[in-house]
Amino acid sequence: LKKHRGDKFNIFSILKMERLEVNTHSAFIYELINPKRTHYQDDKYLKFFIDEVLKIEDFNLKNVKVGRQTLTDAKRKIDFTIENDDYYIAIEMKIDARDQENQLSDYFAYTKKQNKKFTKTYYLTLDGKNASEKSFKNGEIIDYENISFDFHILNFIEKSIEKSANLSIIRESLIQYKNLILNITNQTTHEIQ
């Protein structure tokens, strides 16, 4: 099967980039969801991301801004930010890194300072696990949502592959990234199962 399909040939694995949070996963997802990047598909992938991953139904794509490594008042870097006239969204991603002291509390406070009608904080991990207690200031409970690579991001990438059927370079890059996600989340192919 490996020889027939060639699906073990993965550019991310060959370049030893499978688990690099900032230079692989953050860079790839940002490039895809930012309407102004090199795919030239406008907000096509951002719309899938908001629908499939964030599950926000009333998000207006007019005046949208997507940020990466957004610096907070506490000099921390939020992996992704997405904002429009009504929403400010912060997404913290963890592959192998541990939670930093008060990290999610700081991100939550930063989103609240943006003076938007709605603010949301997401915590993205391989399997959707909760943030550790260390990530919360003085044990406070903040409103955040767990999202995962093994379900949310994988569904988003699969939907993006479907909608990129006539964009061969983008489609093949997405297939490579999907296979990377399957690998790092320990999911096997359907045939092997």
Side-chain angles (χ1 to χ4, degrees), residues 5 7 9-13 24-25 28-29 32 149-151 153-162 170-191:
R5 288 193 317 252
D7 61 359
F9 186 87
N10 188 287
I11 192 70
F12 299 104
S13 299
T24 300
H25 298 281
F28 191 87
I29 292 170
L32 200 55
F149 276 91
D150 66 358
F151 180 74
I153 299 297
L154 188 59
N155 286 342
F156 160 62
I157 295 298
E158 287 174 342
K159 177 73 79 177
S160 298
I161 291 168
E162 287 173 27
I170 295 172
R171 182 191 66 236
E172 294 307 315
S173 298
L174 288 165
I175 290 169
Q176 291 273 304
Y177 190 66
K178 174 190 170 184
N179 288 337
L180 173 63
I181 292 171
L182 290 171
N183 186 34
I184 66 172
T185 59
N186 296 318
Q187 297 182 64
T188 57
T189 62
H190 181 68
E191 291 84 20

Side-chain angles (χ1 to χ4, degrees), residues 45-162:
Y45 299 110
L46 178 60
K47 181 176 179 353
F48 299 151
F49 188 81
I50 289 167
D51 292 345
E52 298 295 319
V53 177
L54 306 182
K55 307 283 188 202
I56 300 173
E57 294 177 7
D58 63 344
F59 193 91
N60 187 339
L61 293 167
K62 186 177 181 188
N63 298 326
V64 70
K65 294 179 195 165
V66 178
R68 179 172 175 245
Q69 300 292 302
T70 303
L71 197 62
T72 68
D73 300 332
K75 305 294 184 228
R76 295 184 190 270
K77 294 178 181 175
I78 303 174
D79 289 309
F80 306 108
T81 54
I82 303 170
E83 66 177 300
N84 66 7
D85 294 337
D86 296 323
Y87 275 91
Y88 193 89
I89 298 164
I91 304 170
E92 172 57 16
M93 178 176 56
K94 297 287 183 192
I95 302 288
D96 291 324
R98 298 177 190 263
D99 291 343
Q100 297 173 16
E101 194 76 31
N102 304 329
Q103 187 173 24
L104 273 187
S105 291
D106 289 344
Y107 293 170
F108 183 76
Y110 184 78
T111 62
K112 291 294 182 193
K113 286 180 66 176
Q114 304 308 307
N115 297 318
K116 300 289 182 173
K117 198 184 300 183
F118 305 103
T119 58
K120 294 188 88 110
T121 304
Y122 292 85
Y123 187 69
L124 171 60
T125 61
L126 292 177
D127 58 2
K129 71 178 180 183
N130 289 323
S132 70
E133 290 181 16
K134 182 180 183 180
S135 196
F136 305 107
K137 190 174 186 176
N138 301 324
E140 73 178 329
I141 297 173
I142 67 163
D143 184 25
Y144 78 96
E145 289 187 38
N146 293 327
I147 51 178
S148 69
F149 276 91
D150 66 358
F151 180 74
H152 299 94
I153 299 297
L154 188 59
N155 286 342
F156 160 62
I157 295 298
E158 287 174 342
K159 177 73 79 177
S160 298
I161 291 168
E162 287 173 27

